[in-house]
Coordinates of all heavy atoms in Angstrom, one line a residue:
D1582 N 17.4 -26.0 -3.9 CA 17.7 -25.2 -2.7 C 16.4 -25.1 -1.8 O 16.5 -25.3 -0.6 CB 18.1 -23.8 -3.1 CG 19.4 -23.8 -3.9 OD1 20.4 -24.4 -3.4 OD2 19.4 -23.1 -4.9
L1583 N 15.3 -24.9 -2.4 CA 14.0 -24.9 -1.7 C 13.7 -26.2 -1.1 O 13.3 -26.3 0.1 CB 12.9 -24.4 -2.6 CG 11.5 -24.3 -1.9 CD1 11.5 -23.3 -0.8 CD2 10.4 -24.1 -2.8
L1584 N 13.8 -27.3 -1.9 CA 13.5 -28.6 -1.4 C 14.4 -29.0 -0.3 O 13.9 -29.7 0.7 CB 13.6 -29.6 -2.6 CG 12.5 -29.6 -3.7 CD1 12.7 -30.7 -4.6 CD2 11.1 -29.6 -3.1
A1585 N 15.6 -28.6 -0.3 CA 16.5 -29.0 0.8 C 16.0 -28.4 2.1 O 16.0 -29.1 3.2 CB 17.9 -28.5 0.5
E1586 N 15.6 -27.1 2.1 CA 15.1 -26.5 3.3 C 13.8 -27.0 3.8 O 13.6 -27.3 5.0 CB 15.0 -25.0 3.1 CG 16.3 -24.3 2.7 CD 17.5 -24.5 3.7 OE1 17.2 -24.7 4.9 OE2 18.6 -24.4 3.3
L1587 N 12.9 -27.3 2.9 CA 11.6 -27.8 3.2 C 11.7 -29.2 3.7 O 11.0 -29.7 4.7 CB 10.6 -27.7 2.1 CG 10.1 -26.3 1.7 CD1 9.3 -26.4 0.4 CD2 9.3 -25.7 2.8
S1588 N 12.6 -30.0 3.1 CA 12.7 -31.4 3.5 C 13.3 -31.4 4.9 O 12.9 -32.2 5.8 CB 13.6 -32.2 2.6 OG 13.0 -32.3 1.3
D1589 N 14.3 -30.6 5.2 CA 15.0 -30.6 6.5 C 14.0 -30.1 7.6 O 14.0 -30.7 8.6 CB 16.2 -29.6 6.4 CG 17.0 -29.7 7.7 OD1 17.4 -30.8 8.1 OD2 17.2 -28.6 8.3
A1590 N 13.2 -29.1 7.3 CA 12.2 -28.6 8.3 C 11.1 -29.6 8.5 O 10.6 -29.7 9.7 CB 11.6 -27.3 7.8
S1591 N 10.7 -30.4 7.5 CA 9.6 -31.3 7.7 C 10.0 -32.7 8.0 O 9.1 -33.5 8.5 CB 8.7 -31.3 6.4 OG 9.5 -31.9 5.3
G1592 N 11.2 -33.1 7.8 CA 11.7 -34.4 8.0 C 11.2 -35.4 7.0 O 11.3 -36.6 7.1
R1593 N 10.7 -34.9 5.8 CA 10.3 -35.7 4.7 C 11.2 -35.5 3.5 O 11.6 -34.4 3.2 CB 8.8 -35.3 4.3 CG 7.8 -35.6 5.4 CD 6.4 -35.1 4.9 NE 5.4 -35.3 5.8 CZ 4.5 -36.3 5.8 NH1 4.6 -37.2 4.8 NH2 3.5 -36.4 6.6
D1594 N 11.4 -36.6 2.8 CA 12.1 -36.5 1.5 C 11.0 -36.0 0.5 O 10.1 -36.8 0.1 CB 12.7 -37.8 1.1 CG 13.4 -37.8 -0.2 OD1 13.4 -36.7 -0.8 OD2 14.0 -38.8 -0.6
L1595 N 11.2 -34.9 -0.1 CA 10.2 -34.3 -1.0 C 10.6 -34.5 -2.5 O 9.9 -33.9 -3.3 CB 10.0 -32.8 -0.7 CG 9.5 -32.5 0.7 CD1 9.4 -31.0 0.9 CD2 8.1 -33.1 0.9
A1596 N 11.6 -35.3 -2.7 CA 12.0 -35.4 -4.1 C 10.9 -36.1 -4.9 O 10.6 -35.7 -6.1 CB 13.2 -36.3 -4.2
G1597 N 10.2 -37.1 -4.3 CA 9.1 -37.8 -5.0 C 7.9 -36.9 -5.2 O 7.3 -36.9 -6.3
W1598 N 7.6 -36.1 -4.2 CA 6.5 -35.1 -4.4 C 6.8 -34.1 -5.5 O 6.0 -33.8 -6.3 CB 6.3 -34.4 -3.0 CG 5.3 -33.3 -3.1 CD1 4.0 -33.4 -3.0 CD2 5.6 -31.9 -3.5 NE1 3.4 -32.1 -3.2 CE2 4.3 -31.2 -3.5 CE3 6.7 -31.1 -3.7 CZ2 4.2 -29.9 -3.7 CZ3 6.6 -29.8 -4.0 CH2 5.4 -29.2 -4.0
A1599 N 8.1 -33.6 -5.5 CA 8.4 -32.7 -6.6 C 8.3 -33.3 -8.0 O 7.8 -32.6 -8.9 CB 9.9 -32.2 -6.4
R1600 N 8.7 -34.6 -8.1 CA 8.6 -35.2 -9.4 C 7.1 -35.3 -9.8 O 6.8 -35.1 -11.0 CB 9.2 -36.6 -9.4 CG 10.8 -36.6 -9.4 CD 11.3 -38.0 -9.7 NE 10.9 -38.9 -8.6 CZ 11.7 -39.1 -7.5 NH1 12.8 -38.4 -7.3 NH2 11.3 -40.0 -6.6
A1601 N 6.3 -35.6 -8.9 CA 4.9 -35.9 -9.2 C 4.1 -34.5 -9.5 O 3.2 -34.5 -10.4 CB 4.2 -36.6 -8.1
W1602 N 4.5 -33.5 -8.9 CA 3.7 -32.3 -9.0 C 4.4 -31.1 -9.6 O 3.7 -30.2 -10.2 CB 3.3 -31.8 -7.6 CG 2.3 -32.8 -7.0 CD1 2.5 -33.8 -6.1 CD2 0.9 -33.0 -7.4 NE1 1.3 -34.5 -5.9 CE2 0.3 -34.0 -6.7 CE3 0.1 -32.3 -8.4 CZ2 -1.0 -34.4 -6.8 CZ3 -1.2 -32.7 -8.5 CH2 -1.7 -33.8 -7.8
L1603 N 5.7 -31.0 -9.5 CA 6.4 -29.8 -10.1 C 7.1 -30.1 -11.4 O 7.4 -29.2 -12.2 CB 7.5 -29.3 -9.1 CG 7.0 -28.9 -7.8 CD1 8.2 -28.4 -6.9 CD2 6.0 -27.7 -7.9

Side-chain angles (χ1 to χ4, degrees):
D1582 299 308
L1583 176 68
L1584 289 183
E1586 302 301 338
L1587 289 174
S1588 295
D1589 188 52
S1591 66
R1593 294 175 180 262
D1594 181 357
L1595 297 177
W1598 175 87
R1600 284 192 298 272
W1602 291 105
L1603 299 179

